[in-house]
């Protein structure tokens, strides 16, 4: 089960290292903006971004998409400072996207690497539909069931990642699906401990904390090396999914 307070705490503690560690998330943001521009256009009156973090997606949108008003949200209050350095007149709305209610309707709603953290995916999708103007677009990235495969196999811990086909079924209730594709990406590290450091520095573990002992750490290293070593490196799998939707009329 996702612990939202733990998610918030870990991202807050690692905001300073997130930009350099979240390599896959940074690439995902760029790809998503390219898909938005190609499928939905490059001009919107009102944009709402939730889970803004340090502003990966915000910066990419600013480069390729024009708008009149931009509202950004995050569970962390500190994210407001980041996004205000990118867009001076941005409106920032702090809080958990599952608990707050945006106060307007938008032409584009976007989110990068956030939907895997929500407890009620269907409810968030419906909420975004209700806050879109007619014909508006909702574009987001998330992660699929193969994400962090090695961590799940080694520790037994994993988020409840959704299959891309399940995402499709849930989204098509309210939206026309313009694009839905997944990728498999691997990052390689010198050791299993470097994998753990990477996960920590990117703040991407909101599950219950593991109580590491010396013996548990050694067992983790041994299993990881025996099963996930490739050419003197160890692998960590990412499974990004890209989704671009248009609200049904």
């Amino acid at each position: 089960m996702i612990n939202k307070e733990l998610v918030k705490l870990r991202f807050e503690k690692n905001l300073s290292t997130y930009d350099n560690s979240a390599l896959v998330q940074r690439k995902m943001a760029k790809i998503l903006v390219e898909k938005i521009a190609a499928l939905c256009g490059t001009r919107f009156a009102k944009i709402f971004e939730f889970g803004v973090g340090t502003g990966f997606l915000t910066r990419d949108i600013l480069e390729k998409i024009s708008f009149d008003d931009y509202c950004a949200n995050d569970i962390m209050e500190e994210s407001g400072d980041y996004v205000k350095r990118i867009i001076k007149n941005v409106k920032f709305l702090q809080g958990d996207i599952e608990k707050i209610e945006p106060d307007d309707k938008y032409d584009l709603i976007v989110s990068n690497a956030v939907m895997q953290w929500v407890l009620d995916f269907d409810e968030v999708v419906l909420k975004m539909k209700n806050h879109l103007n007619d014909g508006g677009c909702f574009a987001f990235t998330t992660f699929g069931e193969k994400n962090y495969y090695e961590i799940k196999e080694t520790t037994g811990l994993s988020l409840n990642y959704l299959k891309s086909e399940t995402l499709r079924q849930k989204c098509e209730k309210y939206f026309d699906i313009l694009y839905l594709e997944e990728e498999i990406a691997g990052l390689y590290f010198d050791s299993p401990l470097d994998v753990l450091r990477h996960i920590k520095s990117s703040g991407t573990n909101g599950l219950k904390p593991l109580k590491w002992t010396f013996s548990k750490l050694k067992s983790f290293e041994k299993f990881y090396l025996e099963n996930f070593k490739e050419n003197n490196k160890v692998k960590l799998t990412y499974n990004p999914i890209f989704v671009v939707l248009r609200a049904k009329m």
Side-chain angles (χ1 to χ4, degrees):
M1 174 66 73
I2 297 171
N3 182 329
K4 288 290 189 76
E5 284 303 314
L6 188 57
V7 172
K8 181 175 180 288
L9 176 64
R10 287 188 167 163
F11 275 110
E12 284 174 341
K13 289 178 67 176
N14 295 285
L15 275 172
S16 62
T17 58
Y18 183 80
D19 280 10
N20 291 327
S21 300
L23 304 176
V24 174
Q25 292 89 334
R26 183 185 301 170
K27 182 179 178 182
M28 289 164 63
K30 289 186 178 299
I31 292 173
L32 185 65
V33 172
E34 290 172 0
K35 297 301 178 184
I36 293 169
L39 297 168
C40 301
T42 58
R43 170 67 189 168
F44 301 90
K46 293 178 176 290
I47 297 177
F48 176 62
E49 178 185 355
F50 64 91
V52 66
T54 58
F56 277 177
L57 185 58
T58 318
R59 286 189 288 267
D60 290 330
I61 286 175
L62 193 59
E63 286 182 6
K64 295 195 173 185
I65 291 175
S66 61
F67 52 86
D68 296 323
D69 297 299
Y70 203 101
C71 180
N73 150 268
D74 201 276
I75 196 170
M76 299 178 295
E77 186 176 354
E78 294 88 344
S79 290
D81 296 329
Y82 282 86
V83 73
K84 286 172 184 176
R85 288 196 287 267
I86 301 168
I87 302 174
K88 290 184 178 180
N89 61 342
V90 67
K91 179 179 179 181
F92 181 71
L93 186 63
Q94 191 268 330
D96 181 349
I97 192 61
E98 295 193 80
K99 296 179 180 179
I100 64 165
E101 198 72 34
D103 58 1
D104 207 341
K105 285 201 169 187
Y106 300 88
D107 304 293
L108 174 66
I109 296 177
V110 293
S111 183
N112 183 45
V114 175
M115 290 293 281
Q116 71 275 7
W117 296 114
V118 303
L119 299 174
D120 192 333
F121 184 93
D122 300 79
E123 188 64 29
V124 172
V125 169
L126 178 57
K127 181 186 287 189
M128 296 308 109
K129 166 66 166 62
N130 291 337
H131 282 280
L132 277 173
N133 288 318
D134 290 344
C137 288
F138 175 29
F140 66 90
T141 66
T142 186
F143 293 102
E145 60 178 340
K146 297 181 181 67
N147 203 63
Y148 280 16
Y149 167 79
E150 297 83 2
I151 298 299
K152 182 179 180 180
E153 290 295 302
T154 308
T155 68
L157 295 177
S158 175
L159 294 180
N160 185 28
Y161 296 113
L162 298 177
K163 296 180 180 180
S164 57
E165 187 53 39
T166 302
L167 287 175
R168 180 180 297 275
Q169 292 169 4
K170 289 176 177 293
C171 292
E172 65 188 3
K173 295 177 185 178
Y174 311 109
F175 293 92
D176 293 321
I177 297 175
L178 305 183
Y179 186 82
L180 196 159
E181 294 291 338
E182 66 178 309
E183 295 180 357
I184 299 294
L187 293 185
Y188 291 87
F189 301 87
D190 290 330
S191 72
L193 291 181
D194 286 331
V195 173
L196 294 180
R197 292 186 187 101
H198 164 75
I199 293 172
K200 180 181 179 181
S201 63
S202 59
T204 53
N205 182 11
L207 297 166
K208 64 179 182 180
L210 281 172
K211 294 181 180 178
W212 291 106
T213 63
F214 181 79
S215 61
K216 285 183 179 179
L217 196 57
K218 287 299 179 184
S219 295
F220 173 86
E221 289 183 282
K222 183 175 183 293
F223 186 90
Y224 213 105
L225 287 168
E226 288 175 350
N227 292 276
F228 308 118
K229 189 175 182 179
E230 298 179 14
N231 299 320
N232 294 318
K233 297 280 187 178
V234 290
K235 183 180 181 181
L236 179 63
T237 298
Y238 279 86
N239 182 195
I241 301 178
F242 305 86
V243 184
V244 182
L245 311 168
R246 190 184 300 278
K248 289 183 177 179
M249 302 294 284

